[in-house]
Amino acid sequence: MAKALPQALNACQLRSRLSNIDITGEKTARGYRYSKQITVKTPWISYNEIMQPAFESLMTCANNCYDRLNFVVNAP
C-alpha cells in the first residue's frame, strides 16, 4: 500500500545564464502534485563553459533538487 507524503517536498528554483529550472509542488485531494519546467536559454554550451566551476555548481544544485523528487510508490 502506498504511503502519503507527510508534507510537500521543497520547491526548487535554479537560475543561470544557461537555463532556468523550476520544480513546484501543490497539495491536491489525491496527494502532492509536482510540475517541472526547464527553460533553455542557449542552444549550445561550449566545452570551455562546461568545464567552469559555475556550470558544475549548477549541475550539482539541479541534481540535488531532482534527487529529492525520486521516491518509491508501491502500487497495490
Side-chain angles (χ1 to χ4, degrees):
M1 179 170 234
K3 282 186 165 182
L5 292 172
Q7 63 186 31
L9 298 173
N10 293 334
C12 294
Q13 291 184 334
L14 302 173
R15 300 287 182 262
S16 79
R17 64 179 189 78
L18 303 172
S19 64
N20 291 343
I21 300 171
D22 294 296
I23 296 178
T24 57
E26 66 177 316
K27 187 170 183 168
T28 68
R30 297 182 67 187
Y32 292 97
R33 179 179 174 169
Y34 290 89
S35 65
K36 175 176 71 172
Q37 179 178 354
I38 299 174
T39 304
V40 177
K41 296 179 181 179
T42 180
W44 179 257
I45 301 172
S46 71
Y47 176 79
N48 288 336
E49 289 176 308
I50 290 172
M51 299 309 294
Q52 296 297 315
F55 185 79
E56 181 180 1
S57 176
L58 172 68
M59 295 309 298
T60 299
C61 289
N63 285 334
N64 290 341
C65 185
Y66 291 146
D67 286 349
R68 286 187 288 176
L69 293 178
N70 289 328
F71 51 89
V72 176
V73 176
N74 296 318

